[in-house]
Each structure stands twice: as C-alpha cells, then as structure tokens.
Amino acid sequence: MMSKVKQLFPIFAQNTSEFPLVYFDSAATTQRPHSVIEAMNNFYSRGNANVHRGIYRLAEQATLAHEAVRNQVAKFINASHGHEIVFTRGTTEAINLVASSYGYKNFTQGDEIIISTMEHHSNIVPWQLVAERTGAKVVAIAIDNRGELDLEHYGRLLSERTKMVAITHVSNVLGTINPLEKICKMAHDFGVPVLVDGAQAAAHLTIDVRALDCDFYAFSAHKAYGPMGVGILYGKEKILDAMPPYQGGGGMIERVTLESSSFAGLPQKFEAGTGNVGGVIALGAALDFLDSLGMKKIMTHERQLLDYAMEVLAGLNELTAIGSAPNKIGIISFILDHIHPHDIATILDSEGLALRAGHHCAMPLMNFFHLGSTARISFGVYNSKEEVDILFNKLVKVRKLLRGAIKL
C-alpha cells in the first residue's frame, strides 16, 4: 500500500528539474495529499463563512464543519471531550498559551519549571519568558550520549518547588521517543502538571492523552499532512477551566460592557478572533488521510525505513549518526567528516534531495554534542527504501566531490 502513497501527493508530480524530488524533511513540515488541498479549496470556493457568528445557512454549515473537526481531533488523541481541544496557530502558540495563561497565574519567585536538554526552542523560550516575569527558574533534565533522558536526574529535579514539567514527546533532532507515561506519573506524584510538545509525534505515533495522563498536549497540523497555520492544544478540562484567557477579542466573550467583560466557556475562551477556519477543515481531511492509512501501518513502514537507512548509512565510514536511542521514529541527524552540513544539503539539493541542515532550533542539544549543526533526514509516508539508496549514493558523490577541496 505504501508504495502507492506517493502518488497521492501532487508535489511529487512536478518535473521542475532533471531529478525527481526526494523529500527527507518531514520533521520540518510534511507534504500535503490531494485530499487536504482539495478540502481547503472546497471550503473557500463553496463554504466560506465565519464560524460561531452568523445564523444564515452558510455560517451554520461552516460552524458545524469546524466543530466536527474539533471532535475528530479529540478522537484522534483520545481526549475525553471536544471542548478540551483548543485551536491555535501551531505548537508554538499552544505552548505560549499555556506558559502565559497558566504560568503567570501559578508561578512565583523560587518556583521551578522542568524542561529537558533535547527540547525545541519553542518549548524553551516561552518558559524562559514567563520565568523572567514571575521569578521562577527553568531547569533541564540531562541526557546521555545515546540521546535519552536521564530519568534519575529528572527524579532529583522534582521537588515541592516544581510547578510545571514541559517535555517533548519526540526529539526533532534525534527521533528519540521519551517515556511519557513514566514522566507524567513521576510529576503527578509531586502534584505537578505536564505539558507535552507532540509536534514530532502526531504523524508518526498513536497518541492517547488519557493513557499518557498528560495535562496538556500540543501539536501542529502541518507536521501531520495538514495545512500550516493550525495547531492543537489539548488540556484537561479542569485545568483549562481554571486558566485565564490568553488573548482578548471577539469570539471569546460572554458579555462586554465598557467597564468589564465576562468570558465564554471552553474552548472559545482561548480562541479570540477569527481562526484559520479553512485550515481547520483541511486538518480534518489530514486526519482522515492518516486514518485511511492506519497509524500501525505508518509506524511499521517508517520503522522499517529507519532500520534500513541506519544499516545503509553505516556503510559510509565517514558518516556519524547523532544519538542511538533504540526507541525512536524515522529521524536521523548525522555529520560527515570534514564536510559542513550546509554543503551537504546544498549539493544534494542540486540533485533533487531535500533534507535539513542546521541546529534545528535545538541549540542546547547541539551544545551537548559539541556540534554547531548537523544534516538531518526525516521520513514520511511517501518515502521508500529506494530513496534511501539514492541518498547513500549521492552522499558518496558529495564525499568524492569535496575530497580534493578539503585536502584529506
């Protein structure tokens, strides 16, 4: 089945160069299948109206479709209620929402926020900002050379000072899958809520927020075959209810006078202004797409690709993969001796291969491994073993091309 999936993505039908596109940057953003693109087009061409406002037929239909996706998301991550799902612009805004709303209300001088060394900047900077304003402190769980969290260190960090644990489900650099159930239980033993950055997990793993027992879970549509500009924040109803609004404006109010305002209930309390309605509709199509393939089949396909790629790339002696956690998704960051990752990416791009090079918005992790940057490949449902072979052969070519220039 997976061999035919690539045909569902119009971007791969382009003939803009002599080389067919091989896309290895799904960790940054996935490509979109026809069904997702058509869902957005259909909304704007046939059903465009603002939601939660009009009582005319078009507006009511848009509202019903929009709210149906909210319930679809709840089912996708096994949330208890649709109103525990808040639409945002992405994972970054979802984390900022919690940091601002929950943090400014609950953090004070001397409190601690636990993150980890492998976090994306989007799960570091918002906590630093709230810490600066409240007098709290951000502390980080150490990792080992395999790219796994040091849970003993985590246990030592937890204390009566801890007021939040914010942790990634999957590292965007290493692909490491963190043991969230254990992390959440350890935090809850201290009465501490846990926010999970699920940006790298949503398209690759089955997510069950009730089984994880996390208090917040955030992810982005565009990393799960959906559109850019749409994100999801899941929060337990009781916690969301107690949080103040993140932004003020239309749609999130119950009553407004010139002197004061009262606010709507969940989830509208956190959805000020007009959201990305067409994007939400397209997110629904993306979830349908994932469901049609089956998450178990996706996980199996990408694990087989990962294992094959690690075996093939091991044949290039000068290549070093960063991180060796056994429990990971299809992400491989690597360096090639004496060759800058940007040079690797630039040369491969000229031959049709798209992969990432840089610090991947994870500078503390780069510092841990004493690196400035890496090259990174990340798999999606459209990748194949044949493309891994192409990558290997092109890397050999890169090595030969630059051998003379670096005077080995």
Side-chain angles (χ1 to χ4, degrees):
M1 179 185 69
M2 290 299 181
S3 62
K4 298 180 180 179
V5 168
K6 195 170 185 177
Q7 299 171 19
L8 303 176
F9 292 80
I11 197 166
F12 297 116
Q14 298 182 100
N15 292 310
T16 57
S17 71
E18 60 181 304
F19 301 104
L21 174 63
V22 176
Y23 187 76
F24 281 139
D25 198 21
S26 291
T29 193
T30 53
Q31 298 300 335
R32 283 86 182 144
H34 282 286
S35 59
V36 170
I37 297 169
E38 285 304 306
M40 183 173 283
N41 286 341
N42 285 339
F43 172 75
Y44 285 117
S45 60
R46 300 178 183 177
N48 181 47
N50 213 330
V51 298
H52 303 138
R53 289 160 173 80
I55 59 172
Y56 53 91
R57 179 181 57 84
L58 207 58
E60 289 183 339
Q61 289 177 341
T63 298
L64 287 172
H66 183 269
E67 293 308 300
V69 177
R70 194 187 305 277
N71 291 327
Q72 190 178 0
V73 172
K75 181 179 178 182
F76 180 68
I77 63 173
N78 197 31
S80 298
H81 308 287
H83 55 256
E84 293 180 317
I85 304 302
V86 177
F87 291 127
T88 67
R89 291 181 299 161
T91 307
T92 299
E93 184 177 54
I95 295 171
N96 274 276
L97 189 163
V98 177
S100 296
S101 177
Y102 185 92
Y104 291 144
K105 179 179 180 181
N106 293 285
F107 301 163
T108 189
Q109 185 76 34
D111 288 344
E112 293 184 348
I113 306 153
I114 297 178
I115 60 170
S116 84
T117 305
M118 67 172 67
E119 299 306 313
H120 187 281
H121 295 166
S122 292
N123 202 29
I124 300 175
V125 180
W127 304 110
Q128 291 175 336
L129 292 174
V130 72
E132 287 175 4
R133 291 185 59 179
T134 61
K137 179 182 179 183
V138 177
V139 295
I141 307 168
I143 62 172
D144 60 26
N145 288 327
R146 297 204 307 177
E148 295 182 298
L149 294 177
D150 183 341
L151 293 184
E152 289 187 4
H153 182 237
Y154 172 52
R156 294 195 300 272
L157 288 177
L158 285 165
S159 72
E160 68 281 354
R161 295 186 303 275
T162 309
K163 293 299 183 287
M164 175 66 72
V165 173
I167 196 78
T168 188
H169 195 162
V170 175
S171 166
N172 72 308
V173 177
L174 308 170
T176 304
I177 303 171
N178 287 322
L180 289 185
E181 290 186 33
K182 187 170 185 178
I183 289 169
C184 290
K185 184 181 184 307
M186 291 172 69
H188 290 162
D189 286 345
F190 282 82
V192 176
V194 179
L195 176 142
V196 178
D197 173 357
Q200 295 298 334
H204 309 284
L205 302 173
T206 298
I207 298 167
D208 187 335
V209 293
R210 282 191 278 179
L212 296 174
D213 197 24
C214 57
D215 302 278
F216 302 99
Y217 196 98
F219 67 95
S220 298
H222 78 95
K223 294 182 190 290
Y225 306 100
M228 293 181 177
V230 177
I232 299 299
L233 173 66
Y234 156 80
K236 289 180 178 177
E237 180 179 10
K238 184 177 180 180
I239 300 178
L240 288 177
D241 258 337
M243 289 165 51
Y246 170 54
Q247 296 176 321
M252 51 75 69
I253 52 85
E254 181 180 70
R255 181 177 175 81
V256 175
T257 69
L258 293 177
E259 291 74 32
S260 64
S261 300
S262 58
F263 305 112
L266 298 177
Q268 280 73 31
K269 178 170 70 170
F270 296 110
E271 293 179 357
T274 298
N276 185 351
V277 181
V280 168
I281 302 302
L283 167 60
L287 297 182
D288 285 337
F289 171 74
L290 288 171
D291 186 60
S292 71
L293 297 183
M295 291 307 300
K296 288 185 178 180
K297 289 183 179 179
I298 292 172
M299 292 163 64
T300 299
H301 169 70
E302 293 181 357
R303 183 69 212 196
Q304 290 173 345
L305 271 182
L306 173 64
D307 292 343
Y308 182 73
M310 291 298 291
E311 180 181 350
V312 169
L313 294 177
L316 193 56
N317 292 332
E318 298 89 350
L319 185 146
T320 302
I322 308 303
S324 57
N327 192 23
K328 62 181 290 181
I329 68 164
I331 293 176
I332 304 172
S333 287
F334 66 92
I335 54 175
L336 200 56
D337 286 357
H338 308 292
I339 301 176
H340 197 284
H342 290 174
D343 293 333
I344 296 172
T346 300
I347 295 172
L348 292 181
D349 174 59
S350 70
E351 304 213 1
L353 278 75
L355 73 162
R356 195 65 163 235
H359 55 65
H360 315 296
C361 296
M363 287 184 179
L365 183 61
M366 291 290 121
N367 291 337
F368 173 81
F369 284 106
H370 305 290
L371 297 169
S373 61
T374 68
R376 182 189 70 184
I377 60 173
S378 50
F379 298 127
V381 296
Y382 28 65
N383 293 123
S384 65
K385 291 182 179 179
E386 290 75 17
E387 291 178 333
V388 173
D389 292 336
I390 292 171
L391 172 66
F392 176 82
N393 291 330
K394 298 296 185 182
L395 286 173
V396 171
K397 184 174 180 179
V398 169
R399 184 67 174 150
K400 289 180 179 178
L401 180 66
L402 296 181
R403 185 180 294 273
I406 58 181
K407 298 180 181 180
L408 294 181

